[in-house]
Structure formats: C-alpha cells, structure tokens
Amino acid sequence: MLLTGPPSLQLPPVRGLRTLSPDALIDCIEYLRVLYSPGVRGSKIRARARSNSSSESTTPFSITVPPRLPDPESDTIAALRSDEFERSYTLRWLSYLVNNSQNLLGTPSEVDYVVARAAALLANCGGASCTGVISRTLHFPTERGPISVTVQDIPLENGDISSVGAQTWGGACVLSEIIAAHPADFGLVNNRSSPLTVLELGAGTGLAGLVLASAAKLMHIGGVTVVATDFYPSVLENLAANISTAFPASDPAVSISSHFLDWATFALDMDPLPAPLDQPFDVILGADIIYEPEHAAWIQSVVSRLLAPGTSSQFHLVIPLRKTHALESSSVEHVFRVNASDEDPTAPVVTVLGKERIVCDVEENAGDEVEYLYYRIGWSRQIQEPVG
C-alpha cells in the first residue's frame, strides 16, 4: 500500500477487516509503520569508491535497491505524523484489529503474525513512542532473497551519552547492507572448513550482527557463532531483547548472543578473558563506534587480542565522515598503521588493508548525502605506508 493519504482515508473500514487477506492487512500495517517510524539518517548506500592506495582489492560493489515507500521524513508525512486526530484513528484501527483477531482470515500462524505486527506498532504509536521507543524493520536485499530484521531503539537514559548505543545509527545500516550484498567477504561461504566466529563491537541494537546471522541462516551455512557486545546496562538489555525477537528459538546452525565488553577495561590487558571472549574471532564488526579520541586506541587493543591469526581474518569498520569528529576519524588510521615492533620487525600487526569512501542518501532531506569510511583491517607482516 503506497502512502497517498491520511490513515482515516487510506485504511479500510474496521467492519471490513474480516474480508481482507493476511497480505492485505500486512500492507496496511506496513503503511502505518512507515508513517509512524522515522527512518535512519544516512542509511541508503548510493556509491562506493575504493582508495587507490588500498593494499587489497575488494569485490566490485553492486546492489539492487528494492522499491521504497515515499521518504518517511517528507513534509507530507511529517504533517501526518503530527496530526493527533490521525494518530488517534490509527490507534483505534490497530486496537480493533488486535482485539478481533478471531474474525480474521488466514491460517492460525498467518493471523498470529498479523496480530504480532499490529500489536508492536500499536505500542510504538501509543505509549512507547511517547518515551522515545521506536520499533523499526529494516530490509536488505541479497542474492538469495531479502533479509528483514526488526530492532527496537530506546532513548538515552537520563541524558547519558554512554547509552547512545541503544539507537540504530546509519553506519550500522551501511555495514549491514554491505554484509547482505557480499556475504563471502565476511566468511559466509558454503565450503568453509571450520566454524565461523564473529564478534560485534559496540553492537548497540545489534543490527549488523543480526543481519550477518540472518544471512548465514538464509544461505544454510552452519557453525556460525555471533557474539554481540556492549557495556551500558540498558543498551545490553535492549540488545538481548532484539536478539530474542529476531532469533526466538535456539538454532544449532546459527548462534547469536549478547555479552558485556568494556573496551577501556579490556585495554588494560584484562586476563584471563571471560567466555565467550576467551577465543579468537574470524570476523569483527564495528559501526559508528568511534566518537571519542581514545576509542580507536581501545578498539585497537581489543582487535589485536581477539582477531584470529591469518590473512583471512578481518575487522570491518564503518565510521561517518563528520566535520565535528575529524580527530576521532583520523585516529583510526593513526592506531591501525603498520608499525614494526622494535623487538621483532617481522611481528604481525593489525593494520588497514583497504579503505572505501561510501556516499549515502539522507532519508530526511532528499538530495542531501552523508559520507562514511569503510575500513578492512587485518593482520600484516609487510612494512607498508599507511593507507591514504
């Protein structure tokens, strides 16, 4: 259903809901979700440009973006979203749908799915949205079909910037889109000779790790373990809830879990490491995780200790190019430069292997754009100049 009018005119009358198919009802709910769930700023990749000085080539980027509903932040939608009459109408419509599920068409599982989606949106449009809680479903195309992941954002806790991870940031969407487009670059191949272990740093809502786990499930790749980490209590609680929503039952082939990890403590060479951090990881993910100058140094300590040895293991990092965060951005290439050890010049170090500049459309303002840097970081025994 395209968003062409207000809910009071666009939605079918409640008395006719019992005649609609489950797909038609989901279309209605999706229309309302787009209307009342703001988009993520700078989260639609438009172009990628590889640095000429990158020491490795990457798979050429090609992705087909599925048709989208109109920009959720257009003036028309913003006006509808602020209309209290239309919001009240939407709440009554959703409430009727949820409370009269016994009269809906479809199999029990289809009806349960429709009601679950409607109930989640009802909470989002009603009391939850007033406290800043947003439930959003993001879609990522892959060669095997689309991946859809639902995550919940929660507001800052008492204004504490440390709880900012409970929001879905554009960098997480960008990294997720890259994972979905090129799963092999993240170890998701059918001919793996060993299980794949993945660590997400500063996972926040867990989007990137959830997309990787979903891609593994879609590709029928077994033996994949994803450990999503953060340190702020409310962020960890929300992260665990998002994981439980996306993977409600244990899956012997794909495992994803949330765990506490404080980079500052880790940088002090915490020993011994607690499970499941007491093992090396083949892939490490990080998106929008550097917003203080010291973060890059802490993350370098974590990656140096937890990235599995070997040239196939990599840390994938996406950071925004913000004028106000120039120092934080430059700190990445400073701490991940190739530096020979004084004791052993041939000792492996973690260094930037590849760098790309990514341009994204800003959903809030058509025509505007946001830029990101995408780093691939791994082990190197060669003495090279830093990537420029």
Side-chain angles (χ1 to χ4, degrees):
M1 176 184 290
L2 292 178
L3 203 163
T4 58
S8 58
L9 298 179
Q10 182 97 351
L11 294 172
V14 292
R15 63 179 178 274
L17 294 184
R18 66 181 65 192
T19 67
L20 296 180
S21 69
D23 287 343
L25 291 173
I26 289 297
D27 282 346
C28 294
I29 294 169
E30 177 66 9
Y31 152 79
L32 293 173
R33 186 196 64 78
V34 171
L35 177 57
Y36 290 109
S37 295
V40 181
R41 178 180 173 84
S43 59
K44 296 194 297 182
I45 294 179
R46 191 171 72 201
R48 285 172 64 176
R50 188 178 307 125
S51 170
N52 291 332
S53 56
S54 173
S55 60
E56 284 189 7
S57 62
T58 57
T59 307
F61 182 78
S62 175
I63 190 168
T64 300
V65 180
R68 286 183 167 89
L69 292 174
D71 184 349
E73 295 300 326
S74 68
D75 292 341
T76 300
I77 297 181
L80 289 176
R81 186 177 292 154
S82 62
D83 190 316
E84 288 304 320
F85 171 81
E86 295 299 337
R87 182 179 289 271
S88 297
Y89 184 92
T90 296
L91 292 174
R92 292 195 300 271
W93 191 92
L94 288 169
S95 296
Y96 185 92
L97 175 62
V98 170
N99 293 325
N100 290 272
S101 59
Q102 71 277 7
N103 297 323
L104 299 180
L105 294 178
T107 65
S109 61
E110 289 174 333
V111 172
D112 287 346
Y113 179 70
V114 169
V115 171
R117 294 287 297 273
L121 186 57
L122 183 61
N124 191 46
C125 293
S129 64
C130 297
T131 62
V133 176
I134 295 175
S135 178
R136 60 174 93 248
T137 300
L138 299 107
H139 309 281
F140 303 92
T142 77
E143 291 184 351
R144 303 289 185 91
I147 290 175
S148 298
V149 173
T150 299
V151 294
Q152 175 178 269
D153 292 9
I154 60 176
L156 292 179
E157 187 172 301
N158 298 321
D160 188 344
I161 191 64
S162 297
S163 64
V164 72
Q167 310 288 310
T168 300
W169 293 88
C173 297
V174 170
L175 183 56
S176 297
E177 197 166 340
I178 297 172
I179 293 170
H182 300 293
D185 291 348
F186 297 81
L188 295 179
V189 292
N190 291 107
N191 59 349
R192 283 194 64 86
S193 58
S194 60
L196 178 69
T197 54
V198 180
L199 173 69
E200 185 177 5
L201 300 176
T205 60
L207 179 62
L210 287 169
V211 168
L212 191 147
S214 299
K217 188 173 183 178
L218 184 65
M219 298 172 65
H220 303 291
I221 298 176
V224 176
T225 299
V226 180
V227 179
T229 64
D230 217 296
F231 81 99
Y232 200 86
S234 62
V235 177
L236 273 171
E237 182 179 352
N238 187 57
L239 173 60
N242 286 338
I243 290 174
S244 178
T245 298
F247 287 82
S250 60
D251 190 326
V254 180
S255 169
I256 179 168
S257 58
S258 60
H259 291 274
F260 172 86
L261 175 57
D262 184 347
W263 306 332
T265 303
F266 197 96
L268 300 176
D269 292 328
M270 181 172 56
D271 194 36
L273 293 174
L277 303 177
D278 56 349
Q279 60 173 332
F281 291 86
D282 304 304
V283 175
I284 299 180
L285 308 175
D288 269 327
I289 58 175
I290 297 177
Y291 46 91
E292 296 292 348
E294 63 269 22
H295 288 172
W298 291 347
I299 291 169
Q300 193 269 353
S301 296
V302 175
V303 173
S304 296
R305 195 167 180 189
L306 291 184
L307 186 64
T311 56
S312 62
S313 301
Q314 289 192 5
F315 170 37
H316 299 264
L317 174 66
V318 172
I319 62 172
L321 283 173
R322 301 187 184 107
K323 292 181 180 179
T324 55
H325 288 66
L327 179 60
E328 290 84 343
S329 300
S330 63
S331 64
V332 172
E333 292 178 36
H334 176 72
V335 302
F336 284 106
R337 68 189 186 280
V338 176
N339 235 348
S341 167
D342 293 336
E343 294 79 14
D344 183 3
T346 64
V349 291
V350 284
T351 182
V352 174
L353 302 175
K355 170 184 167 183
E356 293 180 58
R357 185 183 295 263
I358 296 177
V359 179
C360 291
D361 289 327
V362 178
E363 292 189 347
E364 288 89 338
N365 300 289
D368 289 349
E369 61 186 33
V370 172
E371 293 188 4
Y372 295 88
L373 288 178
Y374 168 38
Y375 291 101
R376 291 176 300 104
I377 294 169
W379 292 105
S380 174
R381 293 180 180 272
Q382 302 299 317
I383 307 303
Q384 305 166 351
E385 291 298 321
V387 174

